[in-house]
Amino acid sequence: MDDVTADRYERGRTRFLDVHDEKALAAVEGLGDLGRAIVEFAYGDVYTRQGLSIRDREIAAVAALVASGRSSQIPQHLRASLKAGLTPEELGEIILQTATIAGFPPAMNAMSTLRTVLAEREGA
Amino acid sequence: MDDVTADRYERGRTRFLDVHDEKALAAVEGLGDLGRAIVEFAYGDVYTRQGLSIRDREIAAVAALVASGRSSQIPQHLRASLKAGLTPEELGEIILQTATIAGFPPAMNAMSTLRTVLAEREGA
Amino acid sequence: MDDVTADRYERGRTRFLDVHDEKALAAVEGLGDLGRAIVEFAYGDVYTRQGLSIRDREIAAVAALVASGRSSQIPQHLRASLKAGLTPEELGEIILQTATIAGFPPAMNAMSTLRTVLAEREGA
Amino acid sequence: MDDVTADRYERGRTRFLDVHDEKALAAVEGLGDLGRAIVEFAYGDVYTRQGLSIRDREIAAVAALVASGRSSQIPQHLRASLKAGLTPEELGEIILQTATIAGFPPAMNAMSTLRTVLAEREGA
Amino acid sequence: MDDVTADRYERGRTRFLDVHDEKALAAVEGLGDLGRAIVEFAYGDVYTRQGLSIRDREIAAVAALVASGRSSQIPQHLRASLKAGLTPEELGEIILQTATIAGFPPAMNAMSTLRTVLAEREGA
Amino acid sequence: MDDVTADRYERGRTRFLDVHDEKALAAVEGLGDLGRAIVEFAYGDVYTRQGLSIRDREIAAVAALVASGRSSQIPQHLRASLKAGLTPEELGEIILQTATIAGFPPAMNAMSTLRTVLAEREGA
C-alpha cells in the first residue's frame, strides 16, 4: 500500500469504527482484498460523504438488506442503527414498512433478528 | 363495503394523498381489490402508524425498491420523498448508499429515474 | 385494540389456524405488531377471500417462496399444503415446475425441505 | 438432431402448443439452442409429467414469475392460465396472494398485465 | 427408464462426475426426480455442450450463484471451479467482480465460503 | 478533486474505455457522483486488478447480470464481452449455463438482447 491508498484506507477504517465496532472490523478485514475494498469504498468513500446522516444511511441499509434478502449483514446493521440513534421502535417500523414492498417473509426474519440483537444488548 | 371497512379505507385514502397525490391514487384504485388492499393495509394500517416519520418511511421505501429491483414504483416514491421533505441531494446519497448493498446496476437506473423526476418537477 | 380491530384479528387468527397450526401461530404472534399485521392482513383479509381455495393459495405460496428464495417460510407452507390436501407427489411437481422458472438451486433446497417435512410427519 | 432428440423435441412442442399457442412457440423457437432447451426440458420433460394438472402448474408458474420479478414471461403465462381454465377472478386472487409473500410492487405490475391480457382477449 | 433416457442420464452422470465428485452426485441423486432432471438436463444436455470450457462455465456458475443469492450451491461450485483449474486467486477476483454488480453482502458470504473450501482442501 | 482522486479517476476512465466505449462512458459520467464512484471503484480499483483477464471478468459480469435480473446493463456488458474476445457462441453458452441456475425467463431476455446487440454490430 502506498501512502495515498493508506490514507484512504485509514479514513474508511475510522468511519467503519464510528458506524460499527472493532469486532465487525476484524470480520471484514479477515476477507482480504474484498475486505479492503469494503473499508476503502463503502466506508472511506461513501459513508464519509456529506449530505446524509449515518442515522439515515442506516435506515437505507436496513431496508435494502431486508428487501434484497441479504440476511447475513442484518445483525451488523441493526447494531449500527442502534449506535446511530435509531430506537428499537423505529427499527420495528422500518421492518414493517419494508414488508409492504418486499413481502412478509423477509420482514419476519428481520424482526426475529432485531429481537436477538436487542436481547444481546441487554445481556451485555 | 360495510362502515368499518369504509372507515379503514378512508383513513388509508387520506394518508395515501398525504404521501402521494390524486394521480397516483387513481392508478392504485384502478387495480381493483389489490388496489383496495394497498390503500387499506399499506396506507391505512402501516403508513398511519406512529413511531416513524413519513420522511423516514420514504428513505426505507426508496432503498427497498432500489435494492429489490422493483423499479416500476421508484418514480412514485421519489416524488413522495420530495414531498416528504427529502432533498434531491439526500435522495442521491440514499441511492449511492444502496449501491454498496445491492450493486451499481439498480443504483444507475434509480439515479436516471431521479434525474427524470427532478426534470419533470422543474418543467411543471 | 378496539372492537373492530379485535374482530378482524379474530377472523385472521381463526383462518391462520385452519391453514397452519397453534405452534406456527405462536411464532407469528411472537413478532409483535408485524405478527399482528400478518394475522390481520395476510390471513384476516387475504386468506379469507372467496375465489381461490386454500389448496390453490398454497400452490401459489410455495411457488412464490421457492422462486423468491424466501426459504425460512417454506417448511411452514409445505406443512400447510399437506394440511390443505396437496399430496407429497404434487408438492414435488410444484417444486420441479418452479425450477424451470427460478433455476435448480432454490428447487434443490425446497426438495430437501420437503423430505424433512415428510419425515417429521411420519415420525410424529 | 438424431431420432431420439427429435422425438423429445416433438413431445415438448406438442405440449407447448397445448399450454401456449403458435405465436409463443415461434418466439421461443427464435431463441436458438436456448429455445430448444426450453421446448425439450421445460415442456417435453417437465410439463408432460403426470402428478400435477396444467391448471395447477400455471398457478405455480404465475406465482413464481410474479414473486421473482421475471415480468417478461407474465403475459404468456396469464394467457396460458386462462387457456388451462383458471378464471380472471382466480388469477386476481393468485396475484393478491403473491403480494403477501413478495410485496405489493410486483403484484401491482402483474395486475396491470392481467388487465391488458383480458382486454386483448375481449378485443380479439 | 427406457434405453434412451438411460443413455442421457448416463451421459449427464459422467459429466457430473467430471465437474463435481461422487459425494455431490449422491446428494443430487437423493433428490428423486428433481435430481434426475438436474443430471439429465443441466449436466447431460448443457454441461456436455461444446463451445464453452468447464472452467468458463464455472466462472459463470459462481458469479450467477453469488449474484442471485443462491448460497447453498456455492461450496459445490467453488470446489468444481478449483477442479476445473481456476486458482484461489481467480476465484477471489470473480467474487470481487460480482460485488460491483450485486453488492458487498453476497460477496462477503462467498468469500467466507471460499476460505472454508480452501481450508477443507488443505486439511484433506 | 485533488490530485490523488484525479489520478484514480483517470486510471478508472482509461480502463472503462478499454472495456466499453466513449458512449458508455458518457452515460455513466451523466450520473454525477454515482458515475464517479463507478469509474473510480468498479473500473479504477476492481477492473484494473491483476489476477483475472477482462474476458473472464466479462463472463462473470454477464452471468451475474442475467442471474440477478439487472437487465438494463446487459447490452453494455454483451458489447464489452465481444470487445474482450468472447464469441457470440460463447455468450450464448454463458446465457444457457445461467438458465440452469436462475431459470429460463432471464435467460430468454438475455438471449434476445444478444441477438439485438449482434444485429447492431452487423448493421454498423
Side-chain angles (χ1 to χ4, degrees), chain C residues 26-40:
Chain C
V28 167
E29 290 189 329
L31 297 172
D33 287 358
L34 174 65
R36 214 176 70 189
I38 292 168
V39 171
E40 284 177 359

Side-chain angles (χ1 to χ4, degrees), chain D residues 65-84:
Chain D
L65 287 165
V66 175
S68 60
R70 306 312 198 189
S71 54
S72 62
Q73 298 306 308
I74 293 179
Q76 211 55 266
H77 281 281
L78 290 175
R79 285 187 210 106
S81 295
L82 293 165
K83 191 171 171 181

Side-chain angles (χ1 to χ4, degrees), chain D:
Chain D
M1 256 196 252
D2 57 28
D3 283 7
V4 167
T5 308
D7 281 3
R8 195 173 155 233
Y9 189 82
E10 204 46 47
R11 188 176 65 229
R13 203 176 177 283
T14 302
R15 178 47 54 117
F16 190 101
L17 290 172
D18 292 341
V19 174
H20 302 290
D21 57 24
E22 289 280 0
K23 195 176 158 193
L25 182 63
V28 167
E29 290 189 329
L31 297 171
D33 287 359
L34 175 65
R36 213 174 73 190
I38 292 169
V39 171
E40 285 178 0
F41 175 65
Y43 293 86
D45 291 353
V46 178
Y47 259 94
T48 53
R49 289 172 62 86
Q50 306 295 316
L52 196 70
S53 67
I54 293 186
R55 175 191 175 277
D56 291 350
R57 288 190 187 278
E58 286 302 316
I59 297 176
V62 168
L65 287 165
V66 175
S68 60
R70 306 312 198 189
S71 54
S72 62
Q73 298 306 308
I74 293 179
Q76 211 55 266
H77 281 281
L78 290 175
R79 285 187 210 106
S81 295
L82 293 165
K83 191 171 171 181
L86 286 159
T87 65
E89 290 68 29
E90 285 173 320
L91 287 167
E93 291 301 317
I94 292 162
I95 292 169
L96 183 51
Q97 175 76 13
T98 307
T100 66
I101 287 170
F104 289 117
M108 293 170 79
N109 293 351
M111 200 64 89
S112 290
T113 305
L114 176 59
R115 299 281 168 105
T116 306
V117 164
L118 293 173
E120 276 168 17
R121 205 175 55 151
E122 280 178 27

Side-chain angles (χ1 to χ4, degrees), chain A residues 30-111:
Chain A
L31 297 172
D33 286 358
L34 174 66
R36 214 176 71 190
I38 292 169
V39 171
E40 285 178 359
F41 175 65
Y43 293 87
D45 291 352
V46 178
Y47 258 94
T48 54
R49 290 173 62 87
Q50 306 297 315
L52 196 72
S53 67
I54 294 185
R55 175 190 175 278
D56 291 349
R57 289 189 187 279
E58 286 302 316
I59 297 176
V62 168
L65 287 165
V66 175
S68 60
R70 307 311 199 192
S71 55
S72 63
Q73 299 305 309
I74 292 179
Q76 212 55 267
H77 281 280
L78 289 174
R79 284 186 210 105
S81 295
L82 293 164
K83 192 171 170 181
L86 286 160
T87 64
E89 288 70 27
E90 286 173 319
L91 287 167
E93 291 301 318
I94 292 162
I95 292 168
L96 182 51
Q97 175 76 13
T98 307
T100 65
I101 287 170
F104 288 118
M108 293 170 79
N109 293 352
M111 199 65 89

Side-chain angles (χ1 to χ4, degrees), chain E residues 53-88:
Chain E
S53 67
I54 293 186
R55 175 191 175 278
D56 291 349
R57 289 189 187 279
E58 286 304 315
I59 296 176
V62 168
L65 287 164
V66 175
S68 60
R70 307 310 200 192
S71 55
S72 63
Q73 297 306 309
I74 292 179
Q76 212 55 267
H77 281 280
L78 290 174
R79 284 187 210 104
S81 295
L82 293 165
K83 191 170 171 183
L86 286 159
T87 65

